[in-house]
Amino acid sequence: MQTLTRDGVGYRTRVMTEQNAQSFAACLRANGQFTNVEVHEEPRAKGERRYYVAYQPSDPQQQQVLLQGHEEQRRARAESEGEQYLFVENSDTGRFFWCQSVSGEVYEVTLHNCTCPDAEFRCRTNGIRCKHSLALEKAQERGAVLTF
């Protein structure tokens, strides 16, 4: 499965035994198409099957393709949920908008930044935008932003 962390975009396997994880990681390390191959223990998993392998494509263009895919997933979520978000311009400074998402959480949002965990821990360090920032752009185009 694909992953996006503050360390970049990549892949990770499902949990498996340590022996299988080490064996798979050795195969990936021997292949020049992958880099940053690491075996991790999943702390919430129980039993023998609690290890996974995380790795990245070594080709920067392939990494960019994966990043674009992650932003497209967020764009799709912004399209499907965005009309349910409430955007209110911050009347104190006007430099950001308050966004109440469908979960009820409230974030400070601009077209390029957001205080949601996805933006703070994954998107910002990888140069992509979260669903709230993408939805704000659409809300501004529709004139669906409240100002006071």
Side-chain angles (χ1 to χ4, degrees), residues 107-118:
Y107 305 111
E108 295 177 16
V109 182
T110 69
L111 290 175
H112 303 288
N113 205 355
C114 182
T115 59
C116 75
D118 186 43

Side-chain angles (χ1 to χ4, degrees), residues 3 17 25 44 75 79 82 85 105 119 135:
T3 62
T17 65
R44 295 172 294 193
R75 189 175 305 282
E79 290 285 329
Y85 297 168
E105 297 290 332

Side-chain angles (χ1 to χ4, degrees), residues 4 7 14 38 49 51 72 83 86 101 125 131 141:
L4 182 65
D7 297 327
R14 293 182 181 212
E38 297 177 350
R49 298 174 60 102
Y51 299 90
E72 285 306 312
E83 290 189 18
L86 174 65
S101 70
T125 58
K131 65 183 181 180
E141 290 172 5

Side-chain angles (χ1 to χ4, degrees), residues 12 15-16 18 21 38-53:
R12 71 163 276 183
V15 291
M16 59 181 85
E18 183 176 17
E38 297 177 350
V39 175
H40 297 276
E41 185 174 1
E42 175 58 60
R44 295 172 294 193
K46 307 248 188 291
E48 290 183 17
R49 298 174 60 102
R50 63 179 186 270
Y51 299 90
Y52 66 91
V53 181

Side-chain angles (χ1 to χ4, degrees), residues 126-140:
N126 289 291
I128 64 174
R129 298 190 295 163
C130 73
K131 65 183 181 180
H132 306 107
S133 291
L134 295 165
L136 173 60
E137 182 177 44
K138 292 293 183 188
Q140 287 179 319

